[in-house]
């Protein structure tokens, strides 16, 4: 009872963020769109500090072994292997690999394996330009700080290099459309959000 009440209260507190139309998007809005689109038996793989942690608040899983992430260890780089193994072991299920951009940087080229083996994984990269979102302003007269990545990197182009389908989205509507197309395609896809 207490846990159910706590979950209800947390969801109520995040409700405005789940429906937000602000741009750039926060984490909650695309996660709500994803939650609404996922089948009940989907396997959800997540990694990246904010991406993984916030997704635990929004994305529901209903079956045992249907959420794979770094747990409390904070490891990054495990998501692609988890997603590939989950899809091979569960060929009839929808597998989502939800990655923060920093986490994707550790092992993201494994999308090549998914494309080569025709695994219909939907990779979603939440691109916030660095670890923890990077700095709010970037220097114009020097190198980027260690926690910042090249601003607005196009991770969708990486999967296209291997023959997969990439999407670059900046609005809730574009994310919904890309997600719908990705699920219907039966192919390996990557949505750069």
């Amino acid at each position: 009872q207490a846990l159910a009440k706590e979950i209800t209260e947390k969801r109520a507190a995040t409700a405005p963020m789940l429906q937000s139309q602000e741009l750039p998007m926060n984490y909650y809005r695309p996660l709500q769109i994803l939650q609404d689109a996922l089948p009940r038996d989907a396997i959800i793989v997540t990694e990246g500090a904010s991406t993984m942690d916030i997704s635990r608040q929004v994305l529901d899983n209903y079956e045992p072994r249907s959420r794979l992430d770094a747990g409390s260890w904070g490891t990054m780089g495990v998501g692609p292997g988890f997603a590939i193994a989950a899809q091979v072991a569960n060929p009839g299920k929808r597998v989502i690999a939800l990655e923060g951009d920093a986490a994707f940087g550790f092992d993201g080229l494994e999308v090549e394996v998914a494309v080569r083996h025709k695994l219909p994984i939907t990779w979603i990269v939440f691109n916030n330009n660095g670890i923890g979102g990077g700095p709010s302003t970037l220097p114009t007269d020097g190198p980027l700080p260690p926690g910042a990545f090249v601003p607005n990197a196009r991770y969708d182009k990486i999967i296209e290099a291997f023959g997969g389908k990439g999407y670059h989205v900046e609005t809730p509507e574009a994310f919904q459309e890309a997600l719908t197309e990705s699920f219907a395609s039966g192919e390996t896809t990557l949505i750069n959000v």
Side-chain angles (χ1 to χ4, degrees):
Q1 284 286 0
L3 180 59
K5 181 180 177 189
E6 181 181 344
I7 290 169
T8 301
E9 288 171 357
K10 284 183 179 179
R11 289 248 166 117
T14 60
M17 292 183 286
L18 294 168
Q19 300 305 319
S20 175
Q21 291 297 320
E22 285 186 54
L23 299 177
M25 289 184 281
N26 63 42
Y27 286 92
Y28 292 88
R29 182 64 175 131
L31 286 171
Q32 181 62 56
I33 293 167
L34 179 58
Q35 171 62 34
D36 293 343
L38 284 176
R40 190 172 174 88
D41 67 345
I43 297 174
I44 304 166
V45 177
T46 60
E47 71 172 331
S50 298
T51 302
M52 180 178 72
D53 293 344
I54 295 170
S55 74
R56 288 176 179 160
Q57 299 172 32
V58 180
L59 300 179
D60 295 326
N61 55 301
Y62 302 97
E63 297 183 9
R65 294 179 290 236
S66 62
R67 180 179 302 267
L68 305 169
D69 64 30
S72 60
W73 299 105
T75 335
M76 288 200 288
V78 298
F82 282 177
I84 290 166
Q87 191 68 79
V88 168
N90 301 280
K93 290 190 177 184
R94 167 75 51 220
V95 175
I96 300 296
L98 179 61
E99 302 275 318
D101 54 355
F104 187 75
F106 279 83
D107 210 9
L109 289 183
E110 293 304 316
V111 298
E112 184 276 335
V113 174
V115 172
R116 183 167 19 110
H117 291 283
K118 299 180 180 1
L119 301 175
I121 300 166
T122 299
W123 306 82
I124 301 169
V125 178
F126 276 11
N127 184 348
N128 63 2
N129 298 322
I131 297 170
S136 58
T137 59
L138 297 172
T140 57
D141 59 346
L144 293 172
F149 294 162
V150 172
N152 306 310
R154 294 292 303 271
Y155 296 100
D156 50 302
K157 299 292 185 187
I158 292 172
I159 200 163
E160 289 177 359
F162 298 119
K165 173 71 174 155
Y167 301 88
H168 175 79
V169 302
E170 297 181 0
T171 66
E173 296 77 21
F175 179 61
Q176 175 67 63
E177 184 177 320
L179 201 57
T180 301
E181 281 184 32
S182 173
F183 286 5
S185 75
E187 298 176 20
T188 309
T189 58
L190 187 148
I191 306 171
N192 182 29
V193 182

